[in-house]
Amino acid sequence: MTWHRKHLLDIESLSAEEITTVLDTAREFKAVGERAIKKVPALRGKTVVNLFVEPSTRTRISFELAAMRLSADVINFATEASSLKKGETLKDTARNLEALNADVIIIRHSATGAPHFLSRFLKGSVVNAGDGAHEHPTQALLDTFTIREHKGRIAGLNVTILGDILYSRVARSNIWALLKLGAKVTLCGPSTLVPRVFEEMGCRVTYNVDEAIADADVINLLRIQHERQRQTMFPSIGEYTALFGLTQARFARTKPDVLIMHPGPINRGVEIASEIADCARSVILEQVTNGLAVRMAVLYLINGGRTGPVTSAPSAS
Ligand code: CP
């Protein structure tokens, strides 16, 4: 197992071995989370800043909890109450956080490349918690972790990503991770939101939802990213649901052991029927639970944590 990186900026630049290292380390941290004492001293004395300049529920809270479980001091940066609102630049904000001894800055930003930009001048570590429509690496890591927990492998699985692919950072990071780990990836949605250029990455693109889901071992549903669309990409929400929503009728035609996934937030009755979101084959909330172990693993590894069993390295405090 290998890990020599100071930052986690994307999945595109990671090797399959590095991705597997994160997943294996996350499995160790998941086991730690099942102990009576869930806290380890791995990041004691370190300061982690959650710099979320876009809204978030799952990612921000699980990064906060992950840092706390690793015994770090955590600061949640409140954009609305910050000097970003007075015209301070992102660079100056980040340098001021560093002047207060931030060791890790976890950033979510609407601009593609914002984490990469910070990593060029900050002395500490930078973690990408979602940059525009580019990447959301920890989401892909927790998604692949969840698939591996259920299916025992990634290689050879048929994974369908259904929805707004064009504007989705979750889709891009998942595509990179799944292809690197040997899965077969099918993309489906309206042609305006699933351009054929994704075939160049090695994905199958289809606009026939029945074809996309028939042989799928995993169906990962994505919401419509209204906040990033600059023009009307399909006639109406009703038409989108009729043509591409995972309805009960379509669900009945999937494999009996298909995993239903969604990064959240879900729009019930739009991309997924409410009953399917809550059914036994849905692992949507398990994804959230696994996000904690994966984010602990990422924070641990970028801070120089050893790979291998963490049960014996950072002892319980
Ligand atoms: N999946 C995800 O990124 O959710 P949040 O926007 O709530 O963090």
Side-chain angles (χ1 to χ4, degrees), residues 55-60 108 136 139 263-265:
S56 168
T57 296
R58 285 146 286 269
T59 313
R60 191 190 62 72
R108 171 171 288 190
H136 190 347
Q139 182 68 46

Side-chain angles (χ1 to χ4, degrees), residues 210 213 246-254 276:
D210 288 317
I213 63 177
L246 190 61
T247 58
Q248 292 278 31
R250 290 193 178 114
F251 185 52
R253 297 195 288 273
T254 58
I276 301 173

Side-chain angles (χ1 to χ4, degrees), residues 41-103:
L43 266 64
R44 186 179 284 158
K46 301 270 186 185
T47 301
V48 174
V49 178
N50 265 329
L51 176 53
F52 278 58
V53 190
E54 267 197 345
S56 168
T57 296
R58 285 146 286 269
T59 313
R60 191 190 62 72
I61 291 173
S62 64
F63 263 121
E64 180 178 359
L65 191 53
M68 287 161 65
R69 289 270 171 92
L70 293 167
S71 306
D73 296 317
V74 188
I75 294 167
N76 284 308
F77 180 90
T79 304
E80 290 303 313
S82 77
S83 290
L84 280 173
K85 291 283 156 194
K86 300 182 207 163
E88 187 165 56
T89 64
L90 179 64
K91 182 173 186 177
D92 282 333
T93 298
R95 293 185 72 192
N96 276 273
L97 294 171
E98 188 169 66
L100 292 166
N101 294 322
D103 297 291

Side-chain angles (χ1 to χ4, degrees), residues 48 66 72 103-104 121-122 135 137 141-142 146 165 188 191 209 232-233 243 252 262 279:
V48 174
D103 297 291
V104 182
F121 59 86
L122 289 178
E135 282 227 34
L141 292 166
L142 74 89
T146 304
I165 311 295
C188 182
S191 57
V209 70
T232 306
M233 306 303 281
L243 289 173
H262 194 307
C279 79

Side-chain angles (χ1 to χ4, degrees), residues 72-178:
D73 296 317
V74 188
I75 294 167
N76 284 308
F77 180 90
T79 304
E80 290 303 313
S82 77
S83 290
L84 280 173
K85 291 283 156 194
K86 300 182 207 163
E88 187 165 56
T89 64
L90 179 64
K91 182 173 186 177
D92 282 333
T93 298
R95 293 185 72 192
N96 276 273
L97 294 171
E98 188 169 66
L100 292 166
N101 294 322
D103 297 291
V104 182
I105 292 185
I106 301 164
I107 178 169
R108 171 171 288 190
H109 202 284
S110 59
T112 290
H116 307 69
F117 170 66
L118 296 194
S119 73
R120 287 202 281 273
F121 59 86
L122 289 178
K123 292 185 200 75
S125 294
V126 178
V127 178
N128 182 359
D131 62 324
H134 177 226
E135 282 227 34
H136 190 347
T138 55
Q139 182 68 46
L141 292 166
L142 74 89
D143 289 343
T144 46
F145 180 87
T146 304
I147 296 170
R148 201 179 70 162
E149 289 252 294
H150 278 269
K151 302 287 187 187
R153 66 193 165 99
I154 302 293
L157 293 178
N158 292 321
V159 180
T160 291
I161 308 177
L162 175 57
D164 173 358
I165 311 295
L166 181 63
Y167 292 99
S168 174
R169 54 198 178 205
V170 173
R172 273 175 192 74
S173 288
N174 262 276
I175 291 166
W176 284 121
L178 290 163

Side-chain angles (χ1 to χ4, degrees), residues 223-282:
R223 74 182 173 90
I224 305 298
Q225 313 267 313
H226 294 288
E227 68 274 27
R228 276 184 256 288
Q229 295 178 7
R230 291 182 191 87
Q231 54 183 307
T232 306
M233 306 303 281
F234 52 88
S236 70
I237 293 290
E239 185 161 324
Y240 178 85
T241 303
L243 289 173
F244 297 103
L246 190 61
T247 58
Q248 292 278 31
R250 290 193 178 114
F251 185 52
R253 297 195 288 273
T254 58
K255 286 170 87 168
D257 60 347
V258 69
L259 280 191
I260 302 298
M261 304 181 72
H262 194 307
I266 62 175
N267 290 135
R268 290 174 184 266
V270 179
E271 69 271 13
I272 184 168
S274 193
E275 304 76 24
I276 301 173
D278 300 327
C279 79
R281 282 191 262 161
S282 163

